[in-house]
Amino acid sequence: MDASPSSPILLFDSGVGGLTVLAEMRKLLPQAPVIYAADMAGLPYGTKTEAEVAARVAGLLGRMAERWQPRLICIACNTASTIALGMVRDVLETPIVGTVPAIKPAAAITKTGTIGLLGTEATVRQRYVDDLEREFAQGKTLLRHAAGGLVALGEAKLRGERVSVDEVAKAAAGLILQPGGENLDTVVLACTHFPLLEPELREAFGKDVTFVHGAEGIARRIAHLVEGQAFQQEIPDFAVTTGELDNFELLVDAFAAHGIDRLVRL
Ligand code: DGL
């Protein structure tokens, strides 16, 4: 069935990390109506159990799909995708694009053969990541580090707070400090919040390290899936939070920079 021209693309994350995907999507689909959904009441996902994340994501996406009839949902969150993508696809009819660690492109560009992966606590322990490693990083070394502290720093940065290179370096240091860490030349940013801190991470890791994340590839995948569909903007794009509106409004400038001027509560 063809989507109605005003049917939105729904981007979902626990917080503002999904804006890194929205920025790339806007370049390819500037005319697409968008709803950005942030489960701020559930942030951070990275310290939750698999069962908690799966229940939140499936429950919220089910509710939102029914209410707003999106033509496509993008789970713009590695934690939610690596835990719940299969399950959500099983229960919703809406096409779903997930965000999974960019191990494949990282394996293609590493010269030393040692790849780092920064994700949340929950993401780095997922079988989904083991499977990607087995499939795409054979013969390479993949070092993982849970750098959940970067989630709060990414949120703070988008609220306009000062975030220092030192704080970012401290949260990510465990990646290099493990055995073999001195060999890594490519780092997968396996959490959509982390590209928000790419300038700080670059400074912390030095110029010999290349950062890879999935936002561009995800945007291309979304564009491919909606190819040929008509778009009509009937209402202004908006962002919806599960948390307090007062806190969400501290992000008004960050959303405005991504073409979203209306913030509401679910
Ligand atoms: N942005 C999310 C991710 O990609 C999760 C951050 C969190 O809620 O811990 O993993």
Side-chain angles (χ1 to χ4, degrees):
M1 200 181 67
D2 276 352
S4 137
S6 60
S7 169
I9 293 175
L10 179 82
L11 278 104
F12 175 83
D13 182 32
S14 54
V16 289
L19 289 178
T20 57
V21 176
L22 179 58
E24 293 302 325
M25 201 190 90
R26 291 283 199 206
K27 293 181 193 166
L28 302 181
L29 298 168
Q31 72 287 34
V34 167
I35 298 176
Y36 186 97
D39 184 13
M40 290 288 190
L43 179 82
Y45 278 1
T47 51
K48 294 190 163 44
T49 65
E50 281 68 6
E52 282 174 307
V53 172
R56 290 195 79 87
V57 174
L60 284 169
L61 289 182
R63 245 172 99 187
M64 293 192 282
E66 202 171 300
R67 181 151 166 199
W68 290 306
Q69 304 286 317
R71 71 182 73 206
L72 180 145
I73 293 172
C74 172
I75 304 182
C77 172
N78 287 261
T79 312
S81 299
T82 54
I83 292 173
L85 186 56
M87 173 189 164
V88 176
R89 278 191 176 136
D90 283 346
V91 295
L92 294 184
E93 278 175 31
T94 317
I96 311 223
V97 174
T99 313
V100 299
I103 292 175
K104 187 179 177 184
I109 62 172
T110 178
K111 293 201 170 64
T112 61
T114 302
I115 304 164
L117 185 142
L118 290 173
T120 64
E121 290 85 333
T123 297
V124 299
R125 67 170 182 255
Q126 292 312 308
R127 249 205 35 213
Y128 204 117
V129 180
D130 303 341
D131 293 344
L132 290 173
E133 178 178 1
R134 200 170 319 108
E135 194 172 348
F136 300 115
Q138 268 204 19
K140 322 261 187 229
T141 303
L142 183 75
L143 303 176
R144 307 180 193 190
H145 178 62
L150 295 177
V151 174
L153 292 173
E155 292 279 331
K157 185 174 174 181
L158 288 211
R159 285 195 301 265
E161 293 167 29
R162 217 187 86 78
V163 170
S164 73
V165 173
D166 271 6
E167 290 170 286
V168 170
K170 219 166 164 185
L175 185 63
I176 313 187
L177 295 176
Q178 56 188 297
E182 67 284 0
N183 297 326
L184 60 85
D185 65 349
T186 309
V187 173
V188 181
L189 300 180
C191 168
T192 50
H193 279 77
F194 297 176
L196 299 171
L197 300 165
E198 208 169 318
E200 292 81 1
L201 285 163
R202 266 183 212 292
E203 229 179 292
F205 280 79
K207 61 175 175 25
D208 295 335
V209 172
T210 304
F211 293 96
V212 180
H213 61 84
E216 262 183 65
I218 294 148
R220 278 199 302 274
R221 177 80 192 133
I222 295 171
H224 173 72
L225 289 175
V226 300
E227 206 176 326
Q229 295 183 8
F231 292 105
Q232 194 191 342
Q233 194 90 45
E234 261 176 17
I235 55 162
D237 290 342
F238 63 93
V240 56
T241 180
T242 56
E244 294 299 327
L245 200 52
D246 283 1
N247 295 336
F248 204 46
E249 281 170 347
L250 300 173
L251 294 157
V252 68
D253 292 342
F255 280 108
H258 292 80
I260 294 177
D261 296 316
R262 214 176 125 227
L263 306 184
V264 301
R265 197 170 172 187
L266 186 69

